[in-house]
Amino acid sequence: DAGITQSPRHKVTETGTPVTLRCHQTENHRYMYWYRQDPGHGLRLIHYSYGVKDTDKGEVSDGYSVSRSKTEDFLLTLESATSSQTSVYFCAISLAAQETQYFGPGTRLLVL
Amino acid sequence: ILNVEQSPQSLHVQEGDSTNFTCSFPSSNFYALHWYRWETAKSPEALFVMTLNGDEKKKGRISATLNTKEGYSYLYIKGSQPEDSATYLCASNSGNTPLVFGKGTRLSVIA
């Protein structure tokens, strides 16, 4: 199994507070991704990274920012959390854009 | 953004039945088609990656085919078992772009 961890695994926060989720990999994969999972929508891409300091927006990037200062870590920040950002967030990694993605265990976020 | 469609949205079958579902994707600039299996409360896990028209892949009782000219892939499960119950996701991309996932087909196998 790919070595991917996400932290925290669960978080409850209040509307308007900043939240940062961390994805850490030990596989030296170039690409890293953040998805959110919502009923009726499947997996939707928020942001992705194709290298250190190289990131791009996905389908649902509004209200989210990311940073990748080293290969192993990809951070997702909700600058000011809203209730619509309550979701399960998955991180994934891959060697290249067209290659198999390996998913982390997910982070369940509740914004009250 | 690529549009990847899956049908049906959900499926209930009896144990022992064989079943199949469909993934449709744009055929222009096609690069790869992926199938993932996603069990409840777990993370998606890769089943197959296919890139060539006519590709067929098999893993145990599960197999998949690919038609890149008409833009579809089929996933087949032979002799469904309760442990096959999961959501099956397909994803596709063009060129060097990230995968776009369909919404999945939720399979329930009733013992």
Side-chain angles (χ1 to χ4, degrees):
Chain A
D1 289 338
I4 312 168
T5 56
Q6 293 184 229
S7 59
R9 294 292 313 280
H10 304 271
K11 185 164 183 72
V12 180
T13 191
E14 293 186 348
T15 298
T17 59
V19 176
T20 295
L21 309 182
R22 181 185 183 228
C23 177
H24 178 77
Q25 61 144 330
T26 57
E27 304 297 318
N28 201 34
H29 280 44
R30 180 183 173 194
Y31 280 72
M32 298 185 76
Y33 310 84
W34 277 108
Y35 293 93
R36 58 179 290 174
Q37 176 209 354
D38 303 292
H41 291 280
L43 282 172
R44 292 184 293 173
L45 182 65
I46 305 171
H47 282 279
Y48 69 100
S49 169
Y50 47 96
V52 172
K53 299 193 189 309
D54 292 323
T55 65
D56 206 348
K57 294 179 180 180
E59 181 187 353
V60 289
S61 60
D62 287 349
Y64 301 94
S65 62
V66 290
S67 67
R68 191 167 179 201
S69 59
K70 47 186 178 176
T71 301
E72 311 89 87
D73 291 323
F74 192 33
L75 304 180
L76 177 72
T77 298
L78 290 64
E79 303 288 348
S80 176
T82 67
S83 58
S84 64
Q85 293 176 311
T86 291
S87 188
V88 180
Y89 291 85
F90 284 97
C91 172
I93 65 173
S94 68
L95 286 168
Q98 67 275 19
E99 298 288 335
T100 297
Q101 291 187 15
Y102 300 93
F103 287 81
T107 293
R108 190 172 294 271
L109 176 67
L110 175 61
V111 183
L112 300 173
Chain B
I1 295 178
L2 229 62
N3 191 30
V4 178
E5 300 280 348
Q6 291 189 247
S7 62
Q9 192 172 14
S10 65
L11 199 52
H12 297 260
V13 302
Q14 294 289 328
E15 181 176 358
D17 287 350
S18 294
T19 187
N20 67 85
F21 17 96
T22 306
C23 174
S24 302
F25 54 88
S27 55
S28 60
N29 298 318
F30 168 83
Y31 199 95
L33 190 285
H34 296 230
W35 283 100
Y36 291 81
R37 170 191 160 87
W38 193 3
E39 291 182 70
T40 303
K42 294 188 177 179
S43 307
E45 291 184 344
L47 284 172
F48 307 115
V49 180
M50 295 181 287
T51 56
L52 298 176
N53 185 46
D55 256 354
E56 292 188 26
K57 299 269 182 162
K58 187 174 181 182
K59 184 186 272 191
R61 293 179 291 99
I62 304 177
S63 60
T65 61
L66 179 66
N67 183 321
T68 61
K69 294 184 179 180
E70 296 182 40
Y72 65 84
S73 175
Y74 293 137
L75 189 80
Y76 300 91
I77 302 179
K78 184 178 177 182
S80 302
Q81 299 297 310
E83 57 264 31
D84 296 328
S85 296
T87 296
Y88 292 84
L89 296 173
C90 75
S92 185
N93 69 336
S94 59
N96 205 30
T97 59
L99 293 177
V100 174
F101 284 83
K103 295 180 181 178
T105 292
R106 179 175 289 189
L107 174 67
S108 297
V109 182
I110 304 160

